[in-house]
Amino acid sequence: MTTLTFPYWPFPLAVQSLVVMCIIIVVSYRIPLLGWVRGFLLAFSLVSFHSHLFQMKVETVFHFGNDITINVRVDSFFKKISRGSEYLVSLESINEQNIPFFIRPNIKLVAPEGTNFRLGERWKLFVKVKPVFGRLNEAGFDQEKYYISQGWHAKAILKNVDAAELLEKSHSVRLKLYQTVDGHLDTLSNKAMLLALSFGNRNEISNAQWQQLKESGLIHLIAISGLHIGIAYLIGWKVGNAIRLIFHNWYSAPLVFALLFAATYSWLAGFSIPTLRALIMCCMLGLFSHVRIHLSVWQTLILTASGILIVDPFSLLSVSFSLTFLAVSCLYILSSYKRFSQSGWLKKTAIMQLTLSMIMLPVTGYFFRVLAFPLAFIISCFFQYLVLLSSPFYLLRFLLLLFCQTWLHFLEP
């Protein structure tokens, strides 16, 4: 059984009962005895709305049947699979019928080997669309759950490669930056890792490297997630503090640069679901700091989790969401101990990393079906910081390089 199945979603409730729920919520402020239902009804209304919107997008895909002609915009780099290449595309029209922007579905497109769709291009394609089903047995992979958590509404197979028509070339700044960085990394042996950590493109990681990452317990670091965005946020905050030493009256400089770094890194990663969740958390933490709202660590954690679930309730189905808040909760519990808080920063960092790694070891082993060898896992605790800290600095280096090249090109006679 899958976690969420479309036939049982509260489709009528999202439309017909929303007004009734709003009335009950308003009345609950007048009648204290009804106060307990307020949060439940708000949450239920929110989930109903999002499920209704998701179902509308799914039904839009299959409204014209399974064999359709679509106009799409390519929203991702290609991903190598056994059957060819896989892309994430946004549907703009089906059979020449334009789709309103707010109900445009996102689908996974499988194309034969040899096709080359670039990020930001618009194509007219003839495809066969297929619905997404949950796992067929308890040991299987729940594909429907995964697609819902990622905001994908269907999958499609490209039927006629020769009939594919390019409607518009790519104007993606992200693609141009990727090509520039890719050219400067040709001489480095760790090129594949740096591209994965900077742009989220993991196509150049070899099978041997994947196996090494699994065995060392570092595989979760290759996917750009909240931890990476948090480090970019921290680096931006430090840069903002340095800028504030020059412009003394610019009190918000640390927050501005922190959010700028976090948003830029999220954009380079393609605004994937994990990076968007982390960016929401950073914005909320920045807002609390800016307006000087004093909250306990647990209040902050609950409010940030609530903010993410308001924007995307289906985050609960994502493994990365659970891992992120589990890790943060462990750190909060650890920081509450007086002996830990009185330790030096080096000892505190070592204890924090070792404790977090040992707690997350069985959890990641359960989700990824791989357990690192104890010795390799302990050694990896030290190298995790090197891996995480290297990518933002490499990224900053290439941004400065690109900026200099652009100005030199502009100043050429």
Side-chain angles (χ1 to χ4, degrees), residues 4 7 64 68 86 105 120 130 132 143 234 264-265 292 301 328 337 343 354 395:
L4 291 175
F64 296 94
I68 56 177
E86 194 175 57
K130 295 182 177 181
V132 182
Q143 191 178 64
L234 179 61
T264 301
Y265 201 0
R292 300 182 184 277
L301 185 65
V328 175
Y337 287 96
S343 304
L354 185 59
L395 186 59

Side-chain angles (χ1 to χ4, degrees), residues 190-243:
N190 57 348
K191 171 184 175 181
M193 298 296 181
L194 290 175
L195 289 177
L197 288 168
S198 299
F199 295 91
N201 185 6
R202 295 171 281 179
N203 290 315
E204 298 196 29
I205 300 179
S206 64
N207 293 331
Q209 289 175 318
W210 277 119
Q211 189 61 33
Q212 291 174 355
L213 290 169
K214 288 181 180 179
E215 294 176 352
S216 63
L218 293 173
I219 188 171
H220 62 284
L221 296 180
I222 298 304
I224 299 177
S225 60
L227 188 58
H228 301 75
I229 304 301
I231 290 177
Y233 182 90
L234 179 61
I235 294 174
W237 189 277
K238 296 299 182 181
V239 172
N241 277 331
I243 297 295

